[in-house]
Amino acid sequence: FTSLLHLPGTSEEVAPPVQQSFMVPKKEINVVSDMAKWKRSQAYADYMGFILTLNEGVRGKKLTCEYKVSEPIEKLVALLNTLDRWIDETPPVDQPSRFGNKAFRTWYAKLDQEAEKLVSAVIPKHLADAAPEVAVYLKESVGNSTRIDYGTGHEAAFAAFLCCLCKIGVLRVDDQMAIVFKVFNRYLEVMRKLQKTYRMEPAGSQGVWGLDDFQFLPFIWGSSQLIDHPSLEPRHFVDEKVVNENHKDFMFLECILFITEMKTGPFAEHSNQLWNISAVPSWSKVNQGLIRMYKAECLEKFPVIQHFKFGSLLPIQPVTS
């Protein structure tokens, strides 16, 4: 797969070639038959390559381990902290329906207005033209303001946002661990806060048959973190004590903790797929199975991918290799 190392702008050169012309990404998948275009696209290859590169990068590593934190990483965390602060400044409103608090629309309107400015603060001056293109993925990554829902398609937009920052050379190959442990992890915290505060509906949830109502990637990268762990096996993640003692080190266990905080009743009933996964003998088998499931259940599902947008950095054109 395309590793981050081969993406333009992450090799020797400091700035990408000047002839890059950016564009505001747009919808290209309008009918089910368009899905074939997506699977053959440069965007799909680069997106999947990005996910798998990070999967390797965090293998066997704890969230609390030492890793390099570059200036762009710090700036991305600051951006996410801003989104978090806006939640505090936009409390939920009193309304008859329990779910989908309308205050989310107020919060979202602020992001919609400020996204380009937020992105411009992360990228260097000579790449200023990329801001409108990259900002689209940021806006798409926090949920839908009409339906007040959030799901794996929004999560994919955030991964695409980070992938674009790699493609223009803002994030580099030695940022891999920080991308997952610092930026993506902070993103998850902010999304959980959004979900709780505004009681967001799960978008396109398969209910008990889905892996999780809201996220997928932290289960992939989180299972990679646990590969070859000396004592924690997949069967342990359904043990409350193990989760409580280890969740600060492992993304996968953070996700389990959040599910148990949000849902009542037996784990096997509300999270049947995860319960089944706890029977898999090794974390590397779990990791491989989740990657297959992610492709099938998220990336190859029309209801998810119809919202994905394509531009110059993640093009709908077929792979050129």
Side-chain angles (χ1 to χ4, degrees), residues 105-250:
R105 293 183 182 146
T106 311
W107 180 89
Y108 183 85
K110 191 153 192 173
L111 172 62
D112 194 37
Q113 206 183 332
E114 302 285 327
E116 260 180 61
K117 202 156 71 185
L118 291 171
V119 171
S120 298
V122 176
I123 61 183
K125 290 280 177 283
H126 71 273
L127 289 168
D129 292 353
E133 176 162 351
V134 178
V136 167
Y137 295 103
L138 178 64
K139 288 192 280 194
E140 297 277 320
S141 75
V142 296
N144 181 285
S145 67
T146 310
R147 296 187 302 272
I148 315 183
D149 66 5
Y150 175 93
T152 49
H154 302 110
E155 175 190 65
F158 192 75
F161 167 67
L162 297 171
C163 182
C164 287
L165 291 174
C166 286
K167 292 195 79 169
I168 61 175
V170 171
L171 296 173
R172 294 166 183 273
V173 86
D174 57 355
D175 287 317
Q176 283 183 68
M177 283 168 70
I179 289 171
V180 179
F181 292 170
K182 220 167 169 60
V183 180
F184 195 81
N185 206 42
R186 183 72 185 107
Y187 165 75
L188 286 176
E189 290 168 1
V190 178
M191 292 309 106
R192 287 173 185 144
K193 187 166 168 175
L194 275 181
Q195 289 149 24
K196 269 184 176 160
T197 306
Y198 304 123
R199 303 292 303 259
M200 296 176 79
E201 300 269 11
S205 163
Q206 298 158 323
V208 64
W209 303 111
L211 183 69
D212 177 75
D213 279 340
F214 298 109
Q215 313 295 156
F216 203 112
L217 292 174
F219 293 96
I220 295 179
W221 296 330
S223 59
S224 181
Q225 282 185 278
L226 285 153
I227 291 173
D228 297 330
H229 191 284
S231 59
L232 291 180
E233 293 169 31
R235 63 189 173 93
H236 291 123
F237 77 73
V238 291
D239 177 338
E240 203 178 327
K241 185 171 178 288
V242 171
V243 172
N244 288 333
E245 285 170 9
N246 298 282
H247 70 93
K248 286 189 167 61
D249 283 325
F250 300 103

Side-chain angles (χ1 to χ4, degrees), residues 55-56 59 127 135 142 156 172 183 192 213 251 256 272 296 301 303:
N55 189 57
E56 282 308 302
R59 188 184 173 121
L127 289 168
V142 296
R172 294 166 183 273
V183 180
R192 287 173 185 144
D213 279 340
M251 240 175 195
I256 300 296
N272 191 260
K301 287 280 188 278

Side-chain angles (χ1 to χ4, degrees), residues 36-46 310 315-319:
K37 246 192 332 193
W38 153 243
K39 281 184 257 182
R40 282 196 301 268
S41 71
Q42 190 63 51
Y44 183 91
D46 288 349
F310 301 85
I316 188 69
Q317 280 69 36
V319 175

Side-chain angles (χ1 to χ4, degrees), residues 16-36:
V18 190
Q19 76 268 22
Q20 169 85 44
S21 59
F22 298 102
M23 60 178 278
V24 175
K26 57 184 207 295
K27 236 170 93 72
E28 298 277 2
I29 310 296
N30 299 304
V31 288
V32 176
S33 56
D34 288 338
M35 290 296 284

